Amino acid sequence: MSQQVNATSVTRNVGWSVLSKTSTFGLKFVTVPILARLLTPEEFGAVAVALAVVQFLAMIGGAGLASALILEPKEDEETIHSVFWANLALACLMAAGLYIWAEPLADWFGAADAAYLLHLMCLLIPLQLAGDVAYALVARRMQFSKDALWSMISESVAAIAAVIMALAGFGIWALVTQLFVSGVIRLAGLFFVSRYLPRLRFRPRAVARLARYSLGLMGSEIANFITFQSPMVVISRFLGLADAGAYSAANRFSSIPNQVVLSAVMGVLFPAFSAMMHDRERRSQALMLSTQVTTLLLAPMMFGLWALAEPSMLLLFGPQWAAAWPVLGLLALSKGLLTPCSTFIPYLKGSGHGGALFWWAVGRAVVTTGAVAYGAYNGSLVEAMVALCIVNALVLVGYSWVVFRADGTPFLVGFYPSIRPMLTAALMAIVVRYTLDNYLALHVHTVLQVGFGIVLGGVIYAALVLLTERPLLRKLLELVRRPKPQTAASLP
């Protein structure tokens, strides 16, 4: 890597990444409800199921080669070009297979009407994988500040295009257009930032060497993907496209805070932890600091959304979605329970604990899929979401044990500080929810309920954080004030 990796550089790059995601937060906050008002639950469900299949195959097609490239000691041109062409070849094979088997796949997922979407959206696989090498180079060089602008442009233009098409009456094609516009602009931005141009060079030995690492990593990635996407597939198969659409809309909205914070943090932390692989003390400090900070930022958003789910669903999504507010609330709660785990995947990947990551990811995928399937098969969408919350509460404890054991940190010494901001956010949300239900729900307009809840929650959370997290706040203030290093040293 061309830049020294330390707490200051990690904090700075996380800041740039979070800024790029935050800049699109307001736009997504508006566009997701607008699209939900203009489109039907069935349309949301069809695109969500098709996208889940596409993303799964894209992950297999990439085979983790780009992630292995990040860990290389130096940038070797032949290796980089070899990975690009290997990725592109696998992507084209996956796209062709999806096009041929689109109808039986759609029927198996309980979404036979979505087969035509799979025929078109298979093109997203090479579109996504063509940028993997360029992103790996950006991550190696810790150039997230340069990548931030293109990320903002791609998300913003795609969201605006989707809303315009939905308003013009194009229906489901608005969502499809959003995916393709975002993918094309994102790909162009990655090539521009990384200054990478593919050349006709291919060295099979280089790909085979990286594959030994990447195949093990790919197994954990697939298991994690199944964990996150299996609820959509299960709901579509057992409960139908309408419930899948309700889940998709609520999940997209409740995932906005994760997209703002987690996608930025995880992209930076993987190469950072990789650079600290052989420095346990510095790695442990980075793990604890990053875990506390992400929990401090994410937990109030997720638990606050749980507290305001009912008025928010009615206000933002409209009457046709109002009955789905428990789904939004339970999804926010399930995500809130996992906020302390936000840094665990990049930590295990970057610190050389791929085996622990793989077996934990497989177990988590099996339990999550089984619990949601049990809830959906024996009840309704709400019961499936309750099952997801129970599983995630257990995952929080188990995942923390796995990571702190791998780090050599006593469980309670690491666990309590990492969940303390989450407990503070939960207390804040309970107070807000109680106040709304008992004093405002019957007498105050929905808009005022949401506004009052946000203000009340912000005041309560800020006061509690000042009481419980003063050491963390002082540490963050020191990092912000610390001058930027003037020299850069390559890391082995």
Side-chain angles (χ1 to χ4, degrees), residues 354-368:
L357 176 61
F358 172 75
W359 289 111
W360 174 257
V362 169
R364 181 184 172 192
V366 171
V367 173
T368 299

PDB file of all heavy atoms in Angstrom, residues 354-368:
ATOM      1  N   GLY A 354      -9.704 -16.327   8.318  1.00  0.00           N
ATOM      2  CA  GLY A 354     -10.697 -16.730   7.333  1.00  0.00           C
ATOM      3  C   GLY A 354     -11.459 -17.986   7.725  1.00  0.00           C
ATOM      4  O   GLY A 354     -12.640 -18.123   7.424  1.00  0.00           O
ATOM      5  N   GLY A 355     -10.798 -18.930   8.410  1.00  0.00           N
ATOM      6  CA  GLY A 355     -11.482 -20.158   8.827  1.00  0.00           C
ATOM      7  C   GLY A 355     -12.588 -19.891   9.814  1.00  0.00           C
ATOM      8  O   GLY A 355     -13.694 -20.417   9.691  1.00  0.00           O
ATOM      9  N   ALA A 356     -12.304 -19.052  10.811  1.00  0.00           N
ATOM     10  CA  ALA A 356     -13.328 -18.697  11.793  1.00  0.00           C
ATOM     11  C   ALA A 356     -14.485 -17.976  11.125  1.00  0.00           C
ATOM     12  O   ALA A 356     -15.661 -18.215  11.433  1.00  0.00           O
ATOM     13  CB  ALA A 356     -12.719 -17.828  12.899  1.00  0.00           C
ATOM     14  N   LEU A 357     -14.164 -17.066  10.187  1.00  0.00           N
ATOM     15  CA  LEU A 357     -15.207 -16.336   9.473  1.00  0.00           C
ATOM     16  C   LEU A 357     -16.084 -17.283   8.670  1.00  0.00           C
ATOM     17  O   LEU A 357     -17.312 -17.159   8.657  1.00  0.00           O
ATOM     18  CB  LEU A 357     -14.556 -15.296   8.553  1.00  0.00           C
ATOM     19  CG  LEU A 357     -15.502 -14.494   7.658  1.00  0.00           C
ATOM     20  CD1 LEU A 357     -16.480 -13.686   8.495  1.00  0.00           C
ATOM     21  CD2 LEU A 357     -14.710 -13.573   6.733  1.00  0.00           C
ATOM     22  N   PHE A 358     -15.456 -18.264   8.011  1.00  0.00           N
ATOM     23  CA  PHE A 358     -16.220 -19.186   7.166  1.00  0.00           C
ATOM     24  C   PHE A 358     -17.206 -20.009   7.988  1.00  0.00           C
ATOM     25  O   PHE A 358     -18.399 -20.058   7.671  1.00  0.00           O
ATOM     26  CB  PHE A 358     -15.253 -20.112   6.424  1.00  0.00           C
ATOM     27  CG  PHE A 358     -15.952 -21.228   5.683  1.00  0.00           C
ATOM     28  CD1 PHE A 358     -16.621 -20.973   4.508  1.00  0.00           C
ATOM     29  CD2 PHE A 358     -15.953 -22.522   6.187  1.00  0.00           C
ATOM     30  CE1 PHE A 358     -17.286 -21.995   3.822  1.00  0.00           C
ATOM     31  CE2 PHE A 358     -16.600 -23.544   5.514  1.00  0.00           C
ATOM     32  CZ  PHE A 358     -17.268 -23.274   4.336  1.00  0.00           C
ATOM     33  N   TRP A 359     -16.731 -20.653   9.050  1.00  0.00           N
ATOM     34  CA  TRP A 359     -17.617 -21.536   9.805  1.00  0.00           C
ATOM     35  C   TRP A 359     -18.702 -20.755  10.537  1.00  0.00           C
ATOM     36  O   TRP A 359     -19.844 -21.217  10.635  1.00  0.00           O
ATOM     37  CB  TRP A 359     -16.807 -22.378  10.788  1.00  0.00           C
ATOM     38  CG  TRP A 359     -15.984 -23.407  10.087  1.00  0.00           C
ATOM     39  CD1 TRP A 359     -14.632 -23.464   9.967  1.00  0.00           C
ATOM     40  CD2 TRP A 359     -16.494 -24.537   9.348  1.00  0.00           C
ATOM     41  NE1 TRP A 359     -14.258 -24.536   9.208  1.00  0.00           N
ATOM     42  CE2 TRP A 359     -15.369 -25.223   8.827  1.00  0.00           C
ATOM     43  CE3 TRP A 359     -17.778 -25.018   9.087  1.00  0.00           C
ATOM     44  CZ2 TRP A 359     -15.498 -26.365   8.052  1.00  0.00           C
ATOM     45  CZ3 TRP A 359     -17.905 -26.176   8.326  1.00  0.00           C
ATOM     46  CH2 TRP A 359     -16.778 -26.830   7.819  1.00  0.00           C
ATOM     47  N   TRP A 360     -18.361 -19.569  11.028  1.00  0.00           N
ATOM     48  CA  TRP A 360     -19.401 -18.766  11.660  1.00  0.00           C
ATOM     49  C   TRP A 360     -20.429 -18.306  10.630  1.00  0.00           C
ATOM     50  O   TRP A 360     -21.638 -18.334  10.895  1.00  0.00           O
ATOM     51  CB  TRP A 360     -18.783 -17.551  12.363  1.00  0.00           C
ATOM     52  CG  TRP A 360     -19.852 -16.636  12.890  1.00  0.00           C
ATOM     53  CD1 TRP A 360     -20.274 -15.464  12.364  1.00  0.00           C
ATOM     54  CD2 TRP A 360     -20.683 -16.874  14.033  1.00  0.00           C
ATOM     55  NE1 TRP A 360     -21.301 -14.932  13.104  1.00  0.00           N
ATOM     56  CE2 TRP A 360     -21.572 -15.782  14.141  1.00  0.00           C
ATOM     57  CE3 TRP A 360     -20.744 -17.901  14.973  1.00  0.00           C
ATOM     58  CZ2 TRP A 360     -22.515 -15.691  15.152  1.00  0.00           C
ATOM     59  CZ3 TRP A 360     -21.690 -17.810  15.988  1.00  0.00           C
ATOM     60  CH2 TRP A 360     -22.570 -16.716  16.065  1.00  0.00           C
ATOM     61  N   ALA A 361     -19.971 -17.900   9.462  1.00  0.00           N
ATOM     62  CA  ALA A 361     -20.891 -17.434   8.421  1.00  0.00           C
ATOM     63  C   ALA A 361     -21.828 -18.547   7.976  1.00  0.00           C
ATOM     64  O   ALA A 361     -23.035 -18.313   7.767  1.00  0.00           O
ATOM     65  CB  ALA A 361     -20.098 -16.889   7.232  1.00  0.00           C
ATOM     66  N   VAL A 362     -21.300 -19.759   7.837  1.00  0.00           N
ATOM     67  CA  VAL A 362     -22.148 -20.890   7.426  1.00  0.00           C
ATOM     68  C   VAL A 362     -23.208 -21.179   8.492  1.00  0.00           C
ATOM     69  O   VAL A 362     -24.399 -21.341   8.187  1.00  0.00           O
ATOM     70  CB  VAL A 362     -21.283 -22.144   7.176  1.00  0.00           C
ATOM     71  CG1 VAL A 362     -22.167 -23.374   7.007  1.00  0.00           C
ATOM     72  CG2 VAL A 362     -20.416 -21.940   5.938  1.00  0.00           C
ATOM     73  N   GLY A 363     -22.785 -21.244   9.754  1.00  0.00           N
ATOM     74  CA  GLY A 363     -23.750 -21.496  10.820  1.00  0.00           C
ATOM     75  C   GLY A 363     -24.812 -20.422  10.920  1.00  0.00           C
ATOM     76  O   GLY A 363     -26.004 -20.715  11.095  1.00  0.00           O
ATOM     77  N   ARG A 364     -24.386 -19.179  10.784  1.00  0.00           N
ATOM     78  CA  ARG A 364     -25.344 -18.066  10.848  1.00  0.00           C
ATOM     79  C   ARG A 364     -26.337 -18.127   9.690  1.00  0.00           C
ATOM     80  O   ARG A 364     -27.529 -17.875   9.872  1.00  0.00           O
ATOM     81  CB  ARG A 364     -24.575 -16.750  10.829  1.00  0.00           C
ATOM     82  CG  ARG A 364     -25.455 -15.525  10.927  1.00  0.00           C
ATOM     83  CD  ARG A 364     -24.622 -14.267  10.798  1.00  0.00           C
ATOM     84  NE  ARG A 364     -25.455 -13.092  10.704  1.00  0.00           N
ATOM     85  CZ  ARG A 364     -25.020 -11.896  10.364  1.00  0.00           C
ATOM     86  NH1 ARG A 364     -23.738 -11.717  10.092  1.00  0.00           N
ATOM     87  NH2 ARG A 364     -25.852 -10.857  10.289  1.00  0.00           N
ATOM     88  N   ALA A 365     -25.855 -18.456   8.485  1.00  0.00           N
ATOM     89  CA  ALA A 365     -26.741 -18.541   7.327  1.00  0.00           C
ATOM     90  C   ALA A 365     -27.802 -19.615   7.521  1.00  0.00           C
ATOM     91  O   ALA A 365     -28.991 -19.406   7.219  1.00  0.00           O
ATOM     92  CB  ALA A 365     -25.920 -18.822   6.069  1.00  0.00           C
ATOM     93  N   VAL A 366     -27.383 -20.776   8.040  1.00  0.00           N
ATOM     94  CA  VAL A 366     -28.327 -21.884   8.252  1.00  0.00           C
ATOM     95  C   VAL A 366     -29.382 -21.509   9.287  1.00  0.00           C
ATOM     96  O   VAL A 366     -30.592 -21.705   9.072  1.00  0.00           O
ATOM     97  CB  VAL A 366     -27.563 -23.152   8.693  1.00  0.00           C
ATOM     98  CG1 VAL A 366     -28.537 -24.238   9.129  1.00  0.00           C
ATOM     99  CG2 VAL A 366     -26.674 -23.655   7.568  1.00  0.00           C
ATOM    100  N   VAL A 367     -28.952 -20.938  10.409  1.00  0.00           N
ATOM    101  CA  VAL A 367     -29.895 -20.590  11.479  1.00  0.00           C
ATOM    102  C   VAL A 367     -30.837 -19.483  11.036  1.00  0.00           C
ATOM    103  O   VAL A 367     -32.056 -19.540  11.286  1.00  0.00           O
ATOM    104  CB  VAL A 367     -29.114 -20.173  12.742  1.00  0.00           C
ATOM    105  CG1 VAL A 367     -30.067 -19.637  13.805  1.00  0.00           C
ATOM    106  CG2 VAL A 367     -28.332 -21.360  13.291  1.00  0.00           C
ATOM    107  N   THR A 368     -30.315 -18.452  10.370  1.00  0.00           N
ATOM    108  CA  THR A 368     -31.161 -17.346   9.928  1.00  0.00           C
ATOM    109  C   THR A 368     -32.201 -17.812   8.924  1.00  0.00           C
ATOM    110  O   THR A 368     -33.393 -17.486   9.040  1.00  0.00           O
ATOM    111  CB  THR A 368     -30.296 -16.233   9.307  1.00  0.00           C
ATOM    112  OG1 THR A 368     -29.373 -15.740  10.285  1.00  0.00           O
ATOM    113  CG2 THR A 368     -31.161 -15.083   8.819  1.00  0.00           C
TER     114      THR A 368
END
